[in-house]
PDB file of all heavy atoms in Angstrom:
ATOM      1  N   LEU U 694      20.799-145.392  68.900  1.00 90.00           N
ATOM      2  CA  LEU U 694      20.227-144.433  67.905  1.00 90.00           C
ATOM      3  C   LEU U 694      21.278-144.117  66.872  1.00 90.00           C
ATOM      4  O   LEU U 694      21.019-143.997  65.642  1.00 90.00           O
ATOM      5  CB  LEU U 694      19.676-143.178  68.561  1.00 90.00           C
ATOM      6  CG  LEU U 694      18.428-143.404  69.486  1.00 90.00           C
ATOM      7  CD1 LEU U 694      18.122-142.063  70.228  1.00 90.00           C
ATOM      8  CD2 LEU U 694      17.289-143.847  68.646  1.00 90.00           C
ATOM      9  N   ALA U 695      22.502-143.836  67.369  1.00 90.00           N
ATOM     10  CA  ALA U 695      23.600-143.425  66.486  1.00 90.00           C
ATOM     11  C   ALA U 695      23.946-144.524  65.473  1.00 90.00           C
ATOM     12  O   ALA U 695      24.089-144.263  64.257  1.00 90.00           O
ATOM     13  CB  ALA U 695      24.836-143.008  67.284  1.00 90.00           C
ATOM     14  N   ASN U 696      24.066-145.782  65.961  1.00 91.00           N
ATOM     15  CA  ASN U 696      24.416-146.895  65.081  1.00 91.00           C
ATOM     16  C   ASN U 696      23.361-147.093  64.006  1.00 91.00           C
ATOM     17  O   ASN U 696      23.689-147.337  62.813  1.00 91.00           O
ATOM     18  CB  ASN U 696      24.617-148.177  65.899  1.00 91.00           C
ATOM     19  CG  ASN U 696      25.845-148.095  66.791  1.00 91.00           C
ATOM     20  OD1 ASN U 696      26.794-147.389  66.503  1.00 91.00           O
ATOM     21  ND2 ASN U 696      25.838-148.845  67.896  1.00 91.00           N
ATOM     22  N   PHE U 697      22.076-147.022  64.426  1.00 90.00           N
ATOM     23  CA  PHE U 697      21.026-147.217  63.467  1.00 90.00           C
ATOM     24  C   PHE U 697      20.994-146.114  62.391  1.00 90.00           C
ATOM     25  O   PHE U 697      20.928-146.400  61.201  1.00 90.00           O
ATOM     26  CB  PHE U 697      19.690-147.252  64.239  1.00 90.00           C
ATOM     27  CG  PHE U 697      18.491-147.435  63.291  1.00 90.00           C
ATOM     28  CD1 PHE U 697      18.174-148.610  62.736  1.00 90.00           C
ATOM     29  CD2 PHE U 697      17.718-146.298  62.985  1.00 90.00           C
ATOM     30  CE1 PHE U 697      17.092-148.732  61.884  1.00 90.00           C
ATOM     31  CE2 PHE U 697      16.638-146.415  62.136  1.00 90.00           C
ATOM     32  CZ  PHE U 697      16.306-147.665  61.567  1.00 90.00           C
ATOM     33  N   LEU U 698      21.095-144.852  62.820  1.00 90.00           N
ATOM     34  CA  LEU U 698      21.017-143.744  61.844  1.00 90.00           C
ATOM     35  C   LEU U 698      22.230-143.727  60.937  1.00 90.00           C
ATOM     36  O   LEU U 698      22.127-143.362  59.763  1.00 90.00           O
ATOM     37  CB  LEU U 698      20.851-142.432  62.622  1.00 90.00           C
ATOM     38  CG  LEU U 698      19.527-142.232  63.363  1.00 90.00           C
ATOM     39  CD1 LEU U 698      19.553-141.009  64.205  1.00 90.00           C
ATOM     40  CD2 LEU U 698      18.359-142.178  62.344  1.00 90.00           C
ATOM     41  N   GLU U 699      23.387-144.016  61.482  1.00 90.00           N
ATOM     42  CA  GLU U 699      24.611-144.039  60.643  1.00 90.00           C
ATOM     43  C   GLU U 699      24.534-145.095  59.555  1.00 90.00           C
ATOM     44  O   GLU U 699      25.067-144.904  58.457  1.00 90.00           O
ATOM     45  CB  GLU U 699      25.841-144.253  61.555  1.00 90.00           C
ATOM     46  CG  GLU U 699      26.212-143.018  62.374  1.00 90.00           C
ATOM     47  CD  GLU U 699      27.321-143.280  63.354  1.00 90.00           C
ATOM     48  OE1 GLU U 699      27.634-144.454  63.552  1.00 90.00           O
ATOM     49  OE2 GLU U 699      27.848-142.326  63.935  1.00 90.00           O
ATOM     50  N   ASP U 700      23.861-146.216  59.904  1.00 89.00           N
ATOM     51  CA  ASP U 700      23.663-147.257  58.869  1.00 89.00           C
ATOM     52  C   ASP U 700      22.864-146.773  57.662  1.00 89.00           C
ATOM     53  O   ASP U 700      22.977-147.305  56.565  1.00 89.00           O
ATOM     54  CB  ASP U 700      22.986-148.490  59.465  1.00 89.00           C
ATOM     55  CG  ASP U 700      23.896-149.291  60.405  1.00 89.00           C
ATOM     56  OD1 ASP U 700      25.127-149.067  60.303  1.00 89.00           O
ATOM     57  OD2 ASP U 700      23.392-150.081  61.224  1.00 89.00           O
ATOM     58  N   PHE U 701      22.058-145.749  57.928  1.00 90.00           N
ATOM     59  CA  PHE U 701      21.253-145.209  56.785  1.00 90.00           C
ATOM     60  C   PHE U 701      21.810-143.885  56.249  1.00 90.00           C
ATOM     61  O   PHE U 701      21.113-143.107  55.621  1.00 90.00           O
ATOM     62  CB  PHE U 701      19.815-144.991  57.315  1.00 90.00           C
ATOM     63  CG  PHE U 701      18.995-146.276  57.425  1.00 90.00           C
ATOM     64  CD1 PHE U 701      19.036-147.006  58.576  1.00 90.00           C
ATOM     65  CD2 PHE U 701      18.297-146.762  56.299  1.00 90.00           C
ATOM     66  CE1 PHE U 701      18.305-148.167  58.722  1.00 90.00           C
ATOM     67  CE2 PHE U 701      17.602-147.931  56.451  1.00 90.00           C
ATOM     68  CZ  PHE U 701      17.635-148.682  57.648  1.00 90.00           C
ATOM     69  N   GLY U 702      23.072-143.643  56.509  1.00 89.00           N
ATOM     70  CA  GLY U 702      23.772-142.536  55.911  1.00 89.00           C
ATOM     71  C   GLY U 702      23.689-141.210  56.649  1.00 89.00           C
ATOM     72  O   GLY U 702      24.093-140.183  56.080  1.00 89.00           O
ATOM     73  N   TYR U 703      23.217-141.161  57.875  1.00 91.00           N
ATOM     74  CA  TYR U 703      23.166-139.922  58.614  1.00 91.00           C
ATOM     75  C   TYR U 703      24.427-139.725  59.441  1.00 91.00           C
ATOM     76  O   TYR U 703      25.023-140.664  59.968  1.00 91.00           O
ATOM     77  CB  TYR U 703      21.961-139.921  59.557  1.00 91.00           C
ATOM     78  CG  TYR U 703      20.625-139.907  58.871  1.00 91.00           C
ATOM     79  CD1 TYR U 703      19.917-141.063  58.600  1.00 91.00           C
ATOM     80  CD2 TYR U 703      20.068-138.699  58.443  1.00 91.00           C
ATOM     81  CE1 TYR U 703      18.724-141.059  57.934  1.00 91.00           C
ATOM     82  CE2 TYR U 703      18.837-138.679  57.813  1.00 91.00           C
ATOM     83  CZ  TYR U 703      18.168-139.827  57.522  1.00 91.00           C
ATOM     84  OH  TYR U 703      16.933-139.833  56.869  1.00 91.00           O
ATOM     85  N   GLY U 704      24.894-138.412  59.555  1.00 91.00           N
ATOM     86  CA  GLY U 704      25.915-138.076  60.498  1.00 91.00           C
ATOM     87  C   GLY U 704      25.244-137.888  61.830  1.00 91.00           C
ATOM     88  O   GLY U 704      24.178-137.313  61.960  1.00 91.00           O
ATOM     89  N   VAL U 705      25.879-138.412  62.929  1.00 91.00           N
ATOM     90  CA  VAL U 705      25.271-138.317  64.281  1.00 91.00           C
ATOM     91  C   VAL U 705      26.212-137.670  65.281  1.00 91.00           C
ATOM     92  O   VAL U 705      27.375-138.059  65.326  1.00 91.00           O
ATOM     93  CB  VAL U 705      24.891-139.723  64.752  1.00 91.00           C
ATOM     94  CG1 VAL U 705      24.170-139.614  66.125  1.00 91.00           C
ATOM     95  CG2 VAL U 705      23.905-140.404  63.765  1.00 91.00           C
ATOM     96  N   LEU U 706      25.658-136.728  66.036  1.00 92.00           N
ATOM     97  CA  LEU U 706      26.383-136.121  67.174  1.00 92.00           C
ATOM     98  C   LEU U 706      25.634-136.532  68.453  1.00 92.00           C
ATOM     99  O   LEU U 706      24.429-136.757  68.443  1.00 92.00           O
ATOM    100  CB  LEU U 706      26.345-134.575  67.008  1.00 92.00           C
ATOM    101  CG  LEU U 706      26.960-133.977  65.754  1.00 92.00           C
ATOM    102  CD1 LEU U 706      26.663-132.503  65.693  1.00 92.00           C
ATOM    103  CD2 LEU U 706      28.454-134.215  65.712  1.00 92.00           C
ATOM    104  N   GLN U 707      26.368-136.621  69.560  1.00 92.00           N
ATOM    105  CA  GLN U 707      25.783-137.070  70.802  1.00 92.00           C
ATOM    106  C   GLN U 707      26.065-136.091  71.936  1.00 92.00           C
ATOM    107  O   GLN U 707      27.067-135.380  71.966  1.00 92.00           O
ATOM    108  CB  GLN U 707      26.341-138.443  71.176  1.00 92.00           C
ATOM    109  CG  GLN U 707      26.047-139.516  70.156  1.00 92.00           C
ATOM    110  CD  GLN U 707      26.551-140.889  70.634  1.00 92.00           C
ATOM    111  OE1 GLN U 707      26.530-141.174  71.823  1.00 92.00           O
ATOM    112  NE2 GLN U 707      27.049-141.705  69.709  1.00 92.00           N
ATOM    113  N   ALA U 708      25.106-136.014  72.856  1.00 91.00           N
ATOM    114  CA  ALA U 708      25.260-135.255  74.098  1.00 91.00           C
ATOM    115  C   ALA U 708      24.509-135.946  75.227  1.00 91.00           C
ATOM    116  O   ALA U 708      23.426-136.523  75.048  1.00 91.00           O
ATOM    117  CB  ALA U 708      24.655-133.836  73.897  1.00 91.00           C
ATOM    118  N   GLY U 709      25.189-135.924  76.456  1.00 89.00           N
ATOM    119  CA  GLY U 709      24.662-136.691  77.579  1.00 89.00           C
ATOM    120  C   GLY U 709      23.631-135.965  78.414  1.00 89.00           C
ATOM    121  O   GLY U 709      22.980-136.581  79.261  1.00 89.00           O
ATOM    122  N   ASP U 710      23.409-134.677  78.228  1.00 89.00           N
ATOM    123  CA  ASP U 710      22.381-133.956  78.940  1.00 89.00           C
ATOM    124  C   ASP U 710      21.977-132.643  78.169  1.00 89.00           C
ATOM    125  O   ASP U 710      22.599-132.394  77.140  1.00 89.00           O
ATOM    126  CB  ASP U 710      22.820-133.568  80.382  1.00 89.00           C
ATOM    127  CG  ASP U 710      24.049-132.725  80.371  1.00 89.00           C
ATOM    128  OD1 ASP U 710      24.107-131.669  79.673  1.00 89.00           O
ATOM    129  OD2 ASP U 710      25.014-133.063  81.107  1.00 89.00           O
ATOM    130  N   GLY U 711      21.000-131.968  78.653  1.00 88.00           N
ATOM    131  CA  GLY U 711      20.457-130.811  77.933  1.00 88.00           C
ATOM    132  C   GLY U 711      21.496-129.704  77.779  1.00 88.00           C
ATOM    133  O   GLY U 711      21.567-129.098  76.687  1.00 88.00           O
TER     134      GLY U 711
END
Side-chain angles (χ1 to χ4, degrees):
L694 293 173
N696 291 334
F697 177 78
L698 293 172
E699 286 173 348
D700 287 343
F701 285 90
Y703 292 95
V705 181
L706 303 171
Q707 299 183 34
D710 58 50

